[in-house]
């Protein structure tokens, strides 16, 4: 079974600074997707960024980028120019290539200080 | 366009009771998934339905059941409620890509269930 581990229960960053959230996963599959989701107090899970395992290039979405290290099974999220609205719980998630279910990590609570 | 809608948003039940949670997917999405999120933890997969058929089931007891209707909306039913069933129940809808599995999941805001 696949597992996803987020070792940082809480992180904080100053507004406009950069922060990196860590995620490791374990799988024997070669075809899979990795995701970062954001869950603000409104509770709705919002997709931040996705990475296909077969792509070597790291995904980027505006201020959000990932460092995907396939051999090390590491998938970290970098948030640049942090904004107050970035404060939320962030979840790393895994999905098999042809599958339907997401496996989530335990989450990292991000605080952005003004 | 409307996103994924869930009802009710909050509810309180007592042990032993039954609960039904409802979900309407984004228009055009035929796949609906349910997740349970206990406070302080990541969501856990419960079910996925596509075209009214169960396509996946997580490690949950038989007290949990679900179904999908012809309009692709879905219900999650939980019987004989236990205190440990208190959680946020999230519904997500997606397109299904043949051979590639589920596309991007779009989540609703969840139904917060408290069991006393």
């Amino acid at each position: 079974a696949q597992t996803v581990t987020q070792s940082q229960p809480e992180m904080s960053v100053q507004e406009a600074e950069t922060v990196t959230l860590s995620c490791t996963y374990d799988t024997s599959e070669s075809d899979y997707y990795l995701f970062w989701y954001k869950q603000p107090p409104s509770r709705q899970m919002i997709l931040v960024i996705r990475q296909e395992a077969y792509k070597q290039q790291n995904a980027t979405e505006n201020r959000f980028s990932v460092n995907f290290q396939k051999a090390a099974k590491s998938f970290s999220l970098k948030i640049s120019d942090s904004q107050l609205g970035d404060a939320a719980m962030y979840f790393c998630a895994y999905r098999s290539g042809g599958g339907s279910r997401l496996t989530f990590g335990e989450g990292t609570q991000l605080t952005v200080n003004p | 366009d409307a996103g994924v809608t869930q009802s009710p948003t909050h509810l309180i039940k007592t042990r032993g009771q039954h609960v039904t949670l409802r979900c309407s997917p984004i228009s055009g999405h035929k796949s609906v998934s349910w997740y349970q999120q206990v406070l302080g933890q990541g969501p856990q997969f419960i079910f996925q339905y596509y075209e009214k058929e169960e396509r996946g089931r997580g490690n949950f007891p038989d007290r949990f059941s679900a179904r999908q209707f012809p309009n692709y909306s879905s219900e999650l039913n939980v019987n004989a409620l236990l205190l440990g069933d208190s959680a946020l129940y999230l519904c997500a809808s997606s397109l299904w890509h043949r051979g590639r599995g589920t596309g991007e999941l779009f989540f609703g805001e969840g139904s917060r269930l408290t069991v006393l």
Side-chain angles (χ1 to χ4, degrees):
Chain A
Q2 295 78 30
T3 59
V4 177
T5 303
Q6 294 178 249
S7 59
Q8 306 155 315
E10 299 177 347
M11 291 284 285
S12 64
V13 63
Q14 292 296 126
E15 196 175 2
E17 297 292 307
T18 296
V19 64
T20 298
L21 308 183
S22 301
C23 172
T24 58
Y25 61 96
D26 188 26
T27 184
S28 58
E29 299 174 331
S30 59
D31 181 20
Y32 55 88
Y33 296 81
L34 295 166
F35 305 84
W36 279 99
Y37 281 88
K38 168 186 177 181
Q39 188 178 40
S42 68
R43 311 182 316 196
Q44 186 172 21
M45 200 76 73
I46 301 166
L47 179 65
V48 174
I49 198 165
R50 63 182 276 168
Q51 175 77 46
E52 291 86 344
Y54 63 86
K55 290 188 177 179
Q56 292 184 335
Q57 186 173 6
N58 289 324
T60 300
E61 288 288 344
N62 301 315
R63 298 182 295 107
F64 299 87
S65 61
V66 299
N67 184 5
F68 175 44
Q69 301 290 325
K70 191 171 183 178
K73 294 180 181 175
S74 170
F75 182 62
S76 61
L77 174 70
K78 185 172 79 171
I79 306 174
S80 304
D81 186 25
S82 297
Q83 301 176 359
L84 295 177
D86 294 334
M89 182 72 84
Y90 285 80
F91 291 97
C92 178
Y94 171 102
R95 178 172 72 77
S96 298
S100 59
R101 70 184 67 185
L102 289 173
T103 300
F104 286 88
E106 305 90 341
T108 297
Q109 181 67 52
L110 178 66
T111 300
V112 180
N113 300 309
Chain B
D1 289 341
V4 177
T5 57
Q6 293 186 243
S7 63
T9 55
H10 297 84
L11 69 165
I12 299 174
K13 294 285 189 178
T14 57
R15 282 176 296 176
Q17 285 189 314
H18 164 271
V19 68
T20 297
L21 307 177
R22 296 176 176 84
C23 173
S24 293
I26 291 172
S27 177
H29 286 189
K30 299 181 179 180
S31 176
V32 171
S33 300
W34 288 95
Y35 288 79
Q36 180 196 64
Q37 187 178 16
V38 172
L39 189 63
Q41 297 181 17
Q44 298 287 320
F45 174 79
I46 311 175
F47 286 111
Q48 189 224 354
Y49 275 79
Y50 175 73
E51 290 280 14
K52 297 173 287 182
E53 291 186 5
E54 182 182 298
R55 295 289 181 144
R57 173 186 284 258
N59 188 25
F60 281 81
D62 292 342
R63 300 184 296 108
F64 288 76
S65 64
R67 55 179 176 168
Q68 187 176 32
F69 299 98
N71 66 353
Y72 305 111
S73 66
S74 177
E75 283 183 354
L76 176 69
N77 295 282
V78 187
N79 293 323
L81 285 167
L82 304 174
L83 295 179
D85 295 331
S86 295
L88 178 67
Y89 288 84
L90 296 167
C91 175
S93 75
S94 66
L95 296 170
W96 179 271
H97 303 284
R98 188 174 298 278
R100 294 303 301 156
T102 303
E104 178 184 343
L105 292 186
F106 293 84
F107 285 85
E109 293 189 358
S111 295
R112 172 75 67 190
L113 171 65
T114 301
V115 182
L116 302 177

